[in-house]
Amino acid sequence: MEPPGALPRPHSPAPEAAEPPGSPALPAEEHPPAAQEAKRRGPGPQGPAECGARVGAGDGREPGGRARRPRVTVDSSKAKTSLEALKISLRQLRWKEFPCGRRLPCDIYWHGVSFHDNDIFSGQVNKFPGMTEMVRKITLSRAVRTMQYLFPLEYNFYPRSWILPDESSFFEKEIRMMKDRDPSWKPTFIVKPDGGCQGDGIYLIKDPSDIRLTGGLQSRPAVVQEYICKPLLVDKLKFDIRLYVLLKSLEPLEIYIAKDGLSRFCTEPYQEPTLKNLHQVFMHLTNYSLNIHSGNFIHSDNANTGSKRTFSSILCRLSSKGVDVKKVWSDIISLVIKTIIALTPELKVYYQSDIPSGKPGPTCFQILGFDILLMKNLKPMLLEVNANPSMRIEHEKELSPGVFENVPSPVDEEVKVAVIRDTLRLVDPHKQKKKDYWILQEHGYYKTSFFFFCCSSQTLEHVSDAKEELLDAGPPERLDHDVSTALEAGLPSLCLKQVFPKYAKQFNYLRLVDRVAALFIRFLGVKGTTKLGPTGFRTFIRNCKLSNSNFSMASVDILYIDITRRWNSMGIDHKESGMCWQAFVEAFFFLAQKKYKSLPLPEQVASLIDFCEYHLAVLDEKRLVCGRG
Ligand code: ADP
């Protein structure tokens, strides 16, 4: 055990937390023998996928003489530790795997870590550019905080957080003030290093002065968060929920949630934090990678017992005790949608920098791992989002002291294979082509991804609505074909449930910052950048008619220098100079406050967005007329 207040960090295997960046790919020999695997994992016409596999083998005809549908091709050469689950999914789908990559383009590229694992110019990649950066603890806290500023009630599912070292003194001051106001308040805080995973470096404190400076906060910034002291317990143990969420598309926004997830249990009975038990990791942290080292850890052979269970088994149990599990689910869905709405503006900035509209590039989708804690009163709280949730379906078993072997984990396999397989079914390029074709037919529009940043959000919503209507009302032959394909393959119904745009009407009012991002992107100018230069900022002010006698261009320059310098001194990204996205948001909120003092906060921002969009539309119209002239 480390010094008081610190949580020890035993040797850890990988599963369940975020995949640590750069984790090595499994060498081929580590895969279970094909025959054994085939027996365990059911039907699949292909043998193990080979390197340099034949393309379009056979005569291209089904046994009955019908022309065979070309098989979807998947490059799995960068799949790393998600490889096993991916292989099973591809076999179930009868898709063609290229484990060593392929000279010709593939339909889908499956990356284990990030978007930037390859140069890809077409097809689909299972990662968004910038997602890893976006869900780091500090960036996520900032993105949620922006939304908490505008919509405090809607975003109260994220514990109050401070960023260290930038806000150390502010944190101390705020807590002192709160304690003075209410001397009976005895809070606990959890300190989490930025970019950490698997509970690495996490510790609990009772007082801001207990933050450990050894190792240097400067070298390892962190987030300090209010600790949720009253979690829901099952069998007297604290547990959290890992839910899989598919971000299928950023524009239009499409979100799916897996109907089942995993519950990871602590291995010591829970007690509310006291100075004596603060350092007991097995009581306070639910990380699998930590608890597996406890003598009390129970490997689960079925979904209802042990230290890792399916979330559905927990819901069943709660339901039998009279809990309204439908309400729990709808609160979780709402938490997921709101969190993604908080992430999308900056993700769009990254996206356009990597794949500017007009440049050939792949489209993206991504499976995210949401870590959620249910409080005693059943309110779900967001702990973190993982860009690379572990997709490993085996766990380490200690055969004799110090000797470990990888053995299959049925609980992991049940949940994770379904998530990967059904993600692939949803992004199936053959179905996608049909969808695009129908959009083109009905509306004369181009492929949605092509005009990503070319239209206003309203137009995109219109297209999205139209698309949904179109799919709902799709011609019978097409639906029949899809159903029969699914039946032929003997696949179960989808485990992923669409939640957006399905529930868009309830949440669209929260998408204000997305529109601010569209303004930021418009003025970024140079392709491949994520920071706004002084000229870009001046042009934004001028084109949106924001400068007047009360706010001269000299004041604009001072505002730019002030905010940009402060954000750049926080040392997030020194590679580029200029105003980063978060700094622009601060400047925008400042301008909104200045211009619409009398309005409540969200209306100030909404009014300024309307004002800017109006002037830019007028300008575009003028340019169009001049162009025609
Ligand atoms: P990591 O990425 O290192 O796993 P997390 O943010 O997921 O970091 O935190 C690790 C564990 O600590 C969580 O699984 C949860 O059990 C516990 N935890 C994290 N934040 C809180 C919090 N605010 N209140 C209570 N428990 C928390």
Side-chain angles (χ1 to χ4, degrees):
M1 293 266 163
E2 286 183 28
L7 300 170
R9 174 87 191 95
H11 150 83
S12 70
E16 229 35 75
E19 196 81 47
S23 54
L26 275 182
E29 321 68 91
E30 281 183 29
H31 306 152
Q36 208 183 319
E37 220 186 353
K39 196 169 133 218
R40 187 157 60 85
R41 283 141 194 204
Q46 300 156 235
E50 305 157 33
C51 284
R54 292 149 294 151
V55 184
D59 66 352
R61 307 209 146 254
E62 303 277 11
R66 252 185 314 141
R68 205 188 279 162
R69 218 161 74 123
R71 279 203 283 168
V72 179
T73 54
V74 180
D75 179 334
S76 65
S77 60
K78 303 273 163 81
K80 306 208 173 188
T81 48
S82 56
L83 193 61
E84 273 304 295
L86 177 66
K87 274 182 188 298
I88 300 172
S89 306
L90 293 177
R91 240 171 262 150
Q92 291 181 359
L93 293 169
R94 301 164 196 222
W95 288 8
K96 187 83 200 157
E97 184 194 355
F98 288 85
C100 301
R102 186 194 193 199
R103 257 179 300 133
L104 291 172
C106 275
D107 295 313
I108 292 172
Y109 296 83
W110 197 271
H111 287 181
V113 179
S114 73
F115 175 78
H116 286 288
D117 282 357
N118 240 342
D119 268 344
I120 299 163
F121 301 102
S122 64
Q124 300 181 73
V125 183
N126 70 325
K127 300 280 183 236
F128 278 93
M131 185 66 92
T132 310
E133 290 80 357
M134 258 329 292
V135 299
R136 284 172 74 98
K137 293 182 172 62
I138 289 184
T139 333
L140 175 71
S141 299
R142 285 210 166 103
V144 175
R145 189 187 287 179
T146 300
M147 297 306 287
Q148 283 174 332
Y149 180 72
L150 292 172
F151 305 103
L153 288 181
E154 287 87 340
Y155 279 83
N156 65 5
F157 58 80
Y158 190 67
R160 205 168 352 172
S161 307
W162 296 263
I163 289 153
L164 304 176
D166 298 332
E167 297 167 1
S168 297
S169 50
F170 180 59
F171 168 54
E172 278 185 35
K173 218 163 90 189
E174 212 177 336
I175 300 307
R176 207 179 317 123
M177 263 170 49
M178 283 153 83
K179 280 185 173 173
D180 287 349
R181 232 179 285 145
D182 176 8
S184 68
W185 187 52
K186 301 265 180 277
T188 304
F189 304 97
I190 182 164
V191 184
K192 312 193 219 178
D194 188 39
C197 59
Q198 303 180 356
D200 181 22
I202 291 183
Y203 59 99
L204 304 187
I205 53 171
K206 279 295 213 182
D207 191 84
S209 61
D210 296 335
I211 288 176
R212 284 192 291 144
L213 292 166
T214 43
L217 273 175
Q218 291 294 352
S219 58
R220 198 164 189 201
V223 165
V224 57
Q225 220 170 52
E226 252 184 285
Y227 185 74
I228 299 158
C229 293
K230 293 187 191 304
L232 180 73
L233 305 181
V234 165
D235 299 335
K236 300 198 174 116
L237 299 169
K238 175 175 170 178
F239 68 97
D240 76 351
I241 308 157
R242 160 63 56 87
L243 265 193
Y244 298 93
V245 171
L246 168 67
L247 179 56
K248 184 169 173 276
S249 150
L250 201 51
E251 193 75 73
L253 187 59
E254 284 184 66
I255 309 169
Y256 290 74
I257 300 186
K259 288 178 191 160
D260 205 354
L262 295 168
S263 300
R264 289 105 30 119
F265 279 73
C266 278
T267 40
E268 289 283 343
Y270 183 77
Q271 288 165 11
E272 284 197 27
T274 60
L275 278 175
K276 273 197 184 149
N277 70 28
L278 275 190
H279 61 284
Q280 295 194 25
V281 250
F282 300 146
M283 178 185 288
H284 291 293
L285 304 191
T286 49
N287 298 75
Y288 167 85
S289 50
L290 297 173
N291 283 282
I292 189 152
H293 297 280
S294 153
N296 297 339
F297 191 91
I298 304 168
H299 284 293
S300 315
D301 293 325
N302 68 57
N304 313 312
T305 57
S307 300
K308 199 194 274 186
R309 312 181 195 174
T310 57
F311 179 45
S312 54
S313 75
I314 304 288
L315 286 177
C316 262
R317 205 160 147 172
L318 293 177
S319 172
S320 70
K321 289 186 175 161
V323 168
D324 180 358
V325 292
K326 267 195 179 162
K327 164 92 171 69
V328 174
W329 253 121
S330 82
D331 288 347
I332 289 178
I333 290 173
S334 155
L335 174 153
V336 167
I337 295 176
K338 287 174 187 170
T339 305
I340 293 202
I341 287 178
L343 296 175
T344 50
E346 196 166 354
L347 265 183
K348 287 179 181 175
V349 174
Y350 280 112
Y351 194 101
Q352 83 78 42
S353 140
D354 267 287
I355 316 173
S357 46
K359 191 182 140 187
T363 52
C364 305
F365 63 92
Q366 187 153 358
I367 298 171
L368 300 167
F370 273 63
D371 290 351
I372 294 168
L373 191 72
L374 282 183
M375 298 206 319
K376 201 172 173 184
N377 63 4
L378 296 168
K379 180 180 167 60
M381 297 292 284
L382 176 70
L383 298 179
E384 71 161 348
V385 181
N386 284 289
N388 302 308
S390 164
M391 285 295 172
R392 285 188 66 176
I393 52 173
E394 66 273 299
H395 60 75
E396 271 182 11
K397 198 168 189 175
E398 194 164 14
L399 298 177
S400 54
V403 181
F404 290 91
E405 188 193 47
N406 277 340
V407 293
S409 166
V411 181
D412 286 284
E413 186 167 329
E414 182 182 328
V415 173
K416 293 175 183 176
V417 169
V419 168
I420 294 188
R421 181 196 60 224
D422 292 349
T423 293
L424 290 170
R425 285 163 82 186
L426 283 168
V427 301
D428 181 341
H430 298 320
K431 285 193 190 144
Q432 202 63 40
K433 267 179 209 148
K434 264 182 235 149
K435 249 166 58 172
D436 294 335
Y437 173 76
W438 290 110
I439 291 172
L440 201 68
Q441 290 283 306
E442 284 278 297
H443 300 277
Y445 287 136
Y446 294 100
K447 190 176 169 189
T448 39
S449 54
F450 173 75
F451 64 124
F452 184 0
F453 285 111
C454 309
C455 349
S456 70
S457 49
Q458 286 89 340
T459 321
L460 285 167
E461 265 160 30
H462 169 67
V463 175
S464 155
D465 289 350
K467 191 169 72 174
E468 207 185 13
E469 263 174 44
L470 204 64
L471 291 174
D472 288 346
E477 312 91 273
R478 187 175 63 90
L479 292 178
D480 287 346
H481 176 79
D482 285 352
V483 170
S484 68
T485 321
L487 288 178
E488 263 168 39
L491 297 172
S493 63
L494 283 177
C495 77
L496 292 160
K497 176 184 153 73
Q498 195 202 64
V499 293
F500 203 96
K502 189 166 180 201
Y503 303 121
K505 278 198 190 114
Q506 291 167 48
F507 296 96
N508 269 342
Y509 75 101
L510 299 172
R511 300 185 70 195
L512 271 189
V513 190
D514 255 7
R515 288 164 67 197
V516 180
L519 297 172
F520 182 70
I521 288 165
R522 177 173 169 138
F523 291 98
L524 273 181
V526 187
K527 293 202 187 331
T529 180
T530 53
K531 289 195 176 173
L532 190 62
T535 314
F537 191 67
R538 280 178 139 246
T539 316
F540 154 68
I541 298 283
R542 223 181 266 126
N543 288 4
C544 295
K545 307 247 177 290
L546 293 175
S547 160
N548 52 37
S549 51
N550 282 334
F551 189 53
S552 65
M553 285 315 277
S555 319
V556 169
D557 290 340
I558 292 170
L559 177 72
Y560 176 87
I561 293 168
D562 233 32
I563 294 186
T564 303
R565 192 177 292 158
R566 192 153 38 74
W567 277 90
N568 287 349
S569 74
M570 291 187 209
I572 306 153
D573 170 15
H574 290 302
K575 275 177 272 159
E576 280 180 71
S577 62
M579 183 180 246
C580 65
W581 157 248
Q582 287 292 345
F584 182 77
V585 172
E586 187 183 322
F588 197 87
F589 285 8
F590 169 83
L591 293 169
Q593 239 168 350
K594 197 170 151 55
K595 197 167 170 62
Y596 299 101
K597 278 189 201 83
S598 57
L599 294 179
L601 235 172
E603 271 116 281
Q604 288 175 354
V605 175
S607 305
L608 188 65
I609 296 171
D610 286 342
F611 185 84
C612 294
E613 285 176 350
Y614 169 77
H615 284 290
L616 293 174
V618 170
L619 193 73
D620 288 345
E621 182 67 22
K622 263 192 208 156
R623 283 183 184 157
L624 206 70
V625 171
C626 288
R628 272 197 220 119

